[in-house]
Amino acid sequence: MDSNNLPDSLKKIIVSEEEIRGIISRIAQEITQDYSGKNLLICGILRGCFIFMADLVRHLELDVEISFIKASSYGSGKEPGELKIVEFETLDKYKDYYIIIVDDILDTGNTFYYLEQELKSKGFAGVDFCVFLDKPERRQLPVSAKYTGKRIGNEFVVGYGLDFNEKYRNLPFVAAVE
Ligand code: 5GP
Ligand code: MG
């Protein structure tokens, strides 16, 4: 889908395809430097991570293993609800690994805060967070990501994996919903 076919409510581009390519190559370089020679698991939070993570791992010059968990704090619409995490137990077999949790966007911080508490007790060599977008103004809990693609303002955004009622995940860029 390209920007010419978009509804008027999605005309404001927040991150272009070109900017995305730059972000991917920068973060991939940072991770490649930081984790060379280490056992690394890249674990994505479904479903929003799927495009960002697919782009990112293909630019890493490292041996990595890949896993996913599902965590969702948004039901339908734009307001967060109760956090649900599934497939958590599958991480147990990576105990001696460094783990990077990958998500589309860091918002209130609820998801990462909760995950950090859970992961601390599991004995990983290290746990870090990597997000494509960050909305620092929205933070309710003290969490931050080691790797951040771009900081944006307090707007609801879609595309590049991010949805609005499950639509628009396949846009190759990020747009604000007006
Ligand atoms: P947090 O727990 O940090 O509040 O929420 C993070 C999750 O909320 C993200 O993984 C994403 O699923 C959802 N989210 C937060 N802001 C946005 C947004 O602007 N657009 C979309 N589509 N999802 C968002
Ligand atoms: Mg999410």
Side-chain angles (χ1 to χ4, degrees), residues 71-121:
S72 177
S73 60
Y74 282 62
S76 57
K78 299 183 188 174
E79 286 311 313
E82 190 192 340
L83 187 79
K84 300 187 187 89
I85 298 194
V86 292
E87 297 256 337
F88 205 66
E89 62 290 349
T90 58
L91 295 184
D92 281 344
K93 66 181 176 208
Y94 296 103
K95 275 194 185 345
D96 55 338
Y97 279 59
Y98 287 83
I99 174 165
I100 298 179
I101 301 287
V102 177
D103 205 358
D104 47 7
I105 188 164
L106 178 51
D107 185 31
T108 64
N110 276 290
T111 310
F112 281 4
Y113 187 81
Y114 176 80
L115 267 173
E116 204 168 34
Q117 306 306 311
E118 294 286 317
L119 291 169
K120 264 184 196 160
S121 59

Side-chain angles (χ1 to χ4, degrees), residues 17-175:
E17 291 187 67
E18 190 187 352
E19 190 174 3
I20 289 172
R21 283 192 287 275
I23 288 170
I24 295 293
S25 110
R26 171 177 59 80
I27 297 182
Q29 258 175 32
E30 291 171 7
I31 293 177
T32 298
Q33 270 172 17
D34 292 350
Y35 292 90
S36 85
K38 294 176 174 158
N39 286 332
L40 179 61
L41 174 71
I42 306 274
C43 179
I45 303 184
L46 291 170
R47 278 170 277 187
C49 75
F50 82 112
I51 296 181
F52 172 48
M53 184 156 144
D55 279 350
L56 182 65
V57 297
R58 283 180 291 174
H59 286 77
L60 295 177
E61 291 178 43
L62 289 173
D63 289 329
V64 289
E65 292 180 44
I66 306 288
S67 183
F68 295 96
I69 54 177
K70 188 155 167 48
S72 177
S73 60
Y74 282 62
S76 57
K78 299 183 188 174
E79 286 311 313
E82 190 192 340
L83 187 79
K84 300 187 187 89
I85 298 194
V86 292
E87 297 256 337
F88 205 66
E89 62 290 349
T90 58
L91 295 184
D92 281 344
K93 66 181 176 208
Y94 296 103
K95 275 194 185 345
D96 55 338
Y97 279 59
Y98 287 83
I99 174 165
I100 298 179
I101 301 287
V102 177
D103 205 358
D104 47 7
I105 188 164
L106 178 51
D107 185 31
T108 64
N110 276 290
T111 310
F112 281 4
Y113 187 81
Y114 176 80
L115 267 173
E116 204 168 34
Q117 306 306 311
E118 294 286 317
L119 291 169
K120 264 184 196 160
S121 59
K122 288 197 179 267
F124 294 112
V127 178
D128 284 310
F129 293 112
C130 172
V131 284
F132 180 63
L133 298 173
D134 185 6
K135 294 198 274 196
E137 286 169 38
R138 294 258 307 161
R139 203 77 85 253
Q140 293 169 0
L141 291 163
V143 290
S144 59
K146 183 172 182 186
Y147 307 99
T148 300
K150 184 174 183 172
R151 286 181 187 83
I152 63 170
N154 183 7
E155 320 184 74
F156 193 83
V157 294
V158 295
Y160 200 61
L162 292 140
D163 75 306
F164 180 39
N165 291 338
E166 292 304 327
K167 279 196 195 153
Y168 307 123
R169 291 192 195 273
N170 61 323
L171 296 178
F173 48 81
V174 177

